[in-house]
Amino acid sequence: MRVILLGPPGAGKGTQAGMIAEKYHVPQISTGDILREEVKIESELGKQAKSYMDKGELVPDKLIIDIIVKQLDEDDSGNGYIMDGFPRTVNQAVAFASALSERGEQVDRVISIEVERDELIRRLNGRRTCTECGVRYHIHFDPPRKEGVCNECGTKLIPRDDDSEETVPNRLEVYRKQTEPLIDYYKGSGVFEAVDGVGSIEEIFKRVEKALEG
Ligand code: AP5
């Protein structure tokens, strides 16, 4: 199962990707998580990526495509994977299609999670993330059992740097300009499914399952 999850910031890509990975036993490949890890360890890639991420801009295609090709080579991806946050530009999609075709593979499903702007802002404002294991929560919609503390590892939860009031509008605009064109790119491919992303996390997962299995 080779799946791409598309959707604006806060649509629930990471939340749903985690659930798909668990149910279907496929790895979740999140370019955002990979980049945040590189920033944390202050690698050369992390230093380059940070300046873009802090402003809510996309990291240059070349850096991202290198990450993905490395993942495809390294990962035990025989069973497939869930791409969470990749591709993000038509250039990335073209490069990905070509890397897959070299391996005799193709994408099985592209699922676009659709949520309107006000709800995205509510979700990003209330998101809290574990600094240790990366699990995400929402202060109202998906709270941890103990306020401010990760259920999984007991570490403190914090807002993501790029969820600030200054950065979110630019992330939404960057999505509209650079990532939304991917919907048209994939629409004619026969593997594209749009899913209504408003409702409870479980309700949306049911729609995602239907899109995957239908
Ligand atoms: P990335 O980490 O990919 O961020 P994003 O796409 O902006 O998406 P988010 O992680 O913010 O949201 P999400 O859709 O995963 O929602 P979530 O499940 O957390 O990228 C970060 C940055 O890295 C980019 O800005 C860019 O700089 C760089 N980057 C990454 N990939 C790149 C690429 N390919 N090319 C170039 N640059 C790249 O949910 C959000 C919140 O809502 C959570 O609190 C959650 O608990 C809650 N929630 C989820 N579902 C529901 C629901 N149904 N109802 C209510 N609340 C819900």
Side-chain angles (χ1 to χ4, degrees):
M1 174 192 278
R2 296 184 191 88
V3 178
I4 292 173
L5 282 190
L6 291 179
K13 300 181 296 296
T15 303
Q16 296 296 326
M19 295 167 84
I20 300 170
E22 197 175 322
K23 173 163 181 189
Y24 296 95
H25 307 289
V26 284
Q28 170 184 1
I29 301 182
S30 159
T31 39
D33 287 348
I34 294 169
L35 291 168
R36 277 184 289 280
E37 188 54 33
E38 296 291 330
V39 170
K40 195 168 156 189
I41 63 172
E42 298 182 359
S43 69
E44 200 42 54
L45 169 60
K47 285 179 199 156
Q48 287 183 61
K50 188 174 180 342
S51 59
Y52 296 96
M53 295 170 81
D54 284 348
K55 287 183 279 188
E57 300 289 335
L58 294 184
V59 172
D61 286 340
K62 165 90 179 75
L63 295 179
I64 297 290
I65 292 161
D66 287 351
I67 291 176
I68 290 295
V69 169
K70 195 162 157 243
Q71 286 283 323
L72 292 181
D73 289 341
E74 278 178 6
D75 256 33
D76 176 18
S77 50
N79 221 7
Y81 36 74
I82 315 293
M83 289 292 173
D84 160 16
F86 175 88
R88 229 30 181 242
T89 63
V90 171
N91 272 345
Q92 290 180 18
V94 170
F96 186 45
S98 137
L100 288 183
S101 131
E102 279 170 22
R103 292 163 173 77
E105 297 171 355
Q106 59 190 26
V107 171
D108 300 312
R109 273 283 182 282
V110 178
I111 296 179
S112 172
I113 305 179
E114 301 189 339
V115 179
E116 47 89 24
R117 183 186 170 92
D118 288 353
E119 175 69 8
L120 295 172
I121 292 172
R122 272 194 291 276
R123 290 185 187 180
L124 295 172
N125 277 343
R127 175 164 53 189
R128 298 291 180 271
T129 309
C130 175
T131 48
E132 190 56 37
C133 66
V135 174
R136 63 198 79 204
Y137 299 87
H138 190 281
I139 52 172
H140 303 302
F141 306 137
D142 187 19
R145 285 191 293 273
K146 185 175 174 202
E147 194 183 328
V149 177
C150 179
N151 291 346
E152 306 296 323
C153 67
T155 305
K156 190 176 166 217
L157 303 176
I158 56 163
R160 241 168 67 177
D161 288 346
D162 60 349
D163 284 347
S164 66
E165 271 179 33
E166 300 77 51
T167 312
V168 165
N170 192 40
R171 288 169 61 201
L172 295 173
E173 185 57 12
V174 164
Y175 173 80
R176 193 183 66 77
K177 282 196 182 141
Q178 294 181 257
T179 308
E180 219 166 51
L182 280 177
I183 293 178
D184 279 338
Y185 174 87
Y186 283 118
K187 246 184 188 162
S189 65
V191 296
F192 179 85
E193 291 276 347
V195 164
D196 176 5
V198 179
S200 72
I201 291 172
E202 292 70 27
E203 281 165 347
I204 292 154
F205 187 57
K206 286 206 181 86
R207 294 174 203 154
V208 168
E209 285 178 300
K210 204 167 154 208
L212 287 174
E213 293 170 11

